[in-house]
Amino acid sequence: MGWSQVSYHYDGSFAGFLCCVFEAYLHKEAPACFLGPEDGRLSLWPERQISTDEAHAKRVYRSLDRSLGAQGRRLVVYGFLTCLPEREMALWAFLRLGYERGPGVVRDLTDDRVSTLNKAVQHLTGEAHLLKGFVRFSEQEGLLIGEIEPKNRVLPLLRPHFCTRYSGESFVLYDRTHGEALFYRPHRWAIVPLAEFRLNGPAQEEQEYRRLWRRFYDTISIAERYNPKCRMTHMPKRYWGTMTEFQREQEGLPP
Amino acid sequence: MELLDKLTILADAAKYDAACTSSGVDRGARPGGLGSAMAAGCCHSFSADGRCISLLKVLMTNRCIYDCQYCVNRRSNDLPRTAFTPWELAELTMGFYRRNYIEGLFLSSAVWGSPDRTTEAMIQALRLLRQEYSFHGYIHAKAIPGADPALTRQLGLLADRLSVNIELPSEDSLARLCPDKKKRAILAPMAQIRDGIQVSRGELVKYKHAPRFAPAGQSTQMIIGATPESDKHILTLTQALYDKYKLKRVFYSAYVPVSDSALLPARRDFKPPLLREHRLYQADWLLRFYHFRAEELLDEANPNFNPLVDPKCSWALGHMEFFPVEVNRADYEALLRVPGIGVVSARRILTARRCGPLTFEGLKKLGVVLKRAQYFLTCSGKMLEGLRVSPDGVLRHLVAQERPMLAQSVPEQLSLFEQTG
Ligand code: SF4
Ligand code: SF4
């Protein structure tokens, strides 16, 4: 449509992405590629550095509700958290369509631009739902600490759930994959980047609870119904690495 | 006895109860307390048998005055016996809940001394947990038939869900296998709980702080395959329990041989009827979410489910006059009758066709799995291209599709997330 093709370099944040959208419309540019701060890809198109401007981001954010409706906005906000390859391009394609067609766009489930994003968001919300159950916390000096290795950036989705569940406690939930952590102490929370995260060994009481849990886990299964395949469909192996019931190494230690 | 050993004994004694869910109440946290509850239910783990673990499922005690033949805990069985103290149980629940191992507690019990005494012990434990420990997570408690209704009421004010097990699908079987239990004694608390829930709901509408009695409703379970009842009998009973007692769920538990009693199937070579249990759950799902009635699914001529295809396919094959269903015009109910189309797919179809007529290509994009559905659908009057259908051929295809699943000795367990539709 006569929009010139460019690559955008931005800071990788959601606000930064919204600013790219702002610039694109302002200069009638069609982004062909989005590069985050650590993205070393060479691009074939002229590159532009987009700096993040709160006011611009806010304007675009407000336009989401107006032009795409609450559901459309949700798709965009959640879409940004997914592990969809080239997710910014998918979001851009969806936004173009949405600005043109209005809130009804979310119903057009057979359009590739809509269904791609929808599927990615379902993957995200599905993973977040599973993790509400699969997250394991350990207690260290009154603080609850948990680690996860999700494919999608689920922390923002897990936050309301765990902040309600543990409203009177303090906890940290670390996302190894994306190097960020959710911190909570009564009635305040923050999600912050965190490159490294180390834990002390479990104290005696903590070890005791782990043993009790593993024992319960093993006991509750009925041998005559053994069905590892069914377990795997419900609880894919990639989650097992951070789950207490599969960490056997301490079992040999004297109580 | 060490806590670890008690836990082992009392979890082992509770594991045959099939109820697993933690769904049905939505409750935010309260200041100073621990926990909340999600309406949708939450699985925290899956055991090696593929069943979900959502609650700390244990017995208060496995000491029992009764001698029900099908039960590991029967008086005549030589087993180590023990009981939790209320304090132990509360500590364990809190410790597990804080670590996010569980969504709450499922407390059941053998009958220790008398139904009243047993219920009192359970009340004491739950009261400690709710009041002293300010626990706001999910609690499912088993009501003990024969207990004083006033005690059952107290139990229901502490728990989110109550259940009374119907145990066996018929009065005859009950009389043979557990002479101490009477159908009346089981149905009386069920009716009491139903009425209690109804009154409580009514009051809650009027006053926000009215006491909540079993807000997540009641459920029951029965053992399948230990006694001769047909699927038709079981499903009709299930339907009556939903209709008359307003149950939230009926659970089935394939009998696992735990005794050599002559009244039960011989232990040697007995395989728990897992496929049958699976088919019953599928049918139960059709009753609850797909507007089917038991009498549509089974009749005198076919009193049992076809092991080779699921109940919805079976129904469809017997009612070819209902098909094909036109994707672009059919209402929600009609779409739900199509094999392979579940609640989610049906809703998506309704949404997407507002943007224009759907094709088979479009259905795939919506995520509708056509493997089974293709035989029963038209898109704008056309069947899927290249598809040949004779009723026999359809059956053969459907059976072939199920075979890989049936080839395993054990079929997939049914869950909320993988309804075949
Ligand atoms: S989702 Fe299914 S498996 Fe999980 S708790 Fe609920 S009923 Fe059980
Ligand atoms: S009363 Fe319950 S625990 Fe006792 S034998 Fe009967 S079924 Fe088992």
Side-chain angles (χ1 to χ4, degrees), chain A residues 109-110 112 122 132-133 135-137 139 164-166 169 206 209 211 215 217 220 222 225 227 245, chain B residues 4 8 29 35 44-46 48-49 51 91 97-103 277 348 365-366 410:
Chain A
L109 301 172
T110 57
D112 280 329
Q122 274 160 30
K132 281 178 191 168
V135 170
R136 297 288 175 261
F137 285 96
E139 185 179 331
T164 312
R165 184 181 168 101
Y166 297 127
E169 309 259 349
E206 177 56 34
Y209 274 110
R211 273 186 43 191
R215 178 61 68 85
Y217 179 81
I220 207 70
I222 298 176
R225 303 181 61 125
N227 190 348
E245 48 272 44
Chain B
L4 187 69
T8 314
H44 283 257
S45 193
F46 288 85
D49 53 17
R51 297 188 308 160
E91 283 287 316
Y97 189 89
R98 287 189 74 210
R99 288 166 178 78
N100 207 42
Y101 298 164
I102 54 168
E103 206 48 29
E277 180 196 276
R348 283 196 195 144
K365 285 205 190 125
L366 295 187
V410 178

Side-chain angles (χ1 to χ4, degrees), chain B residues 126-138:
Chain B
L126 296 189
R127 193 168 280 151
L128 185 72
L129 198 50
R130 285 286 197 224
Q131 289 166 6
E132 301 292 310
Y133 287 80
S134 301
F135 176 69
H136 301 318
Y138 192 91

Side-chain angles (χ1 to χ4, degrees), chain A residues 129 234, chain B residues 18-23 40-46 50-55 249 251 285 413-417:
Chain A
H129 179 80
H234 289 301
Chain B
C20 64
T21 153
S22 58
S23 60
C42 182
C43 312
H44 283 257
S45 193
F46 288 85
R51 297 188 308 160
C52 115
I53 301 177
S54 176
L55 304 171
R249 283 296 303 271
F251 291 96
W285 199 282
Q413 195 195 355
L414 197 74
S415 94
L416 277 179
F417 304 118

Side-chain angles (χ1 to χ4, degrees), chain A residues 146-194:
Chain A
E147 288 183 87
I148 50 175
E149 282 182 321
K151 286 191 178 157
N152 299 282
R153 284 172 64 189
V154 292
L155 285 183
L157 277 73
L158 295 180
R159 183 198 47 88
H161 171 76
F162 284 112
C163 291
T164 312
R165 184 181 168 101
Y166 297 127
S167 68
E169 309 259 349
S170 299
F171 72 86
V172 186
L173 183 55
Y174 182 61
D175 174 345
R176 287 184 195 158
T177 320
H178 305 92
E180 52 184 14
L182 163 62
F183 287 89
Y184 174 85
R185 67 183 159 82
H187 319 307
R188 300 193 52 182
W189 61 268
I191 294 176
V192 293
L194 198 66

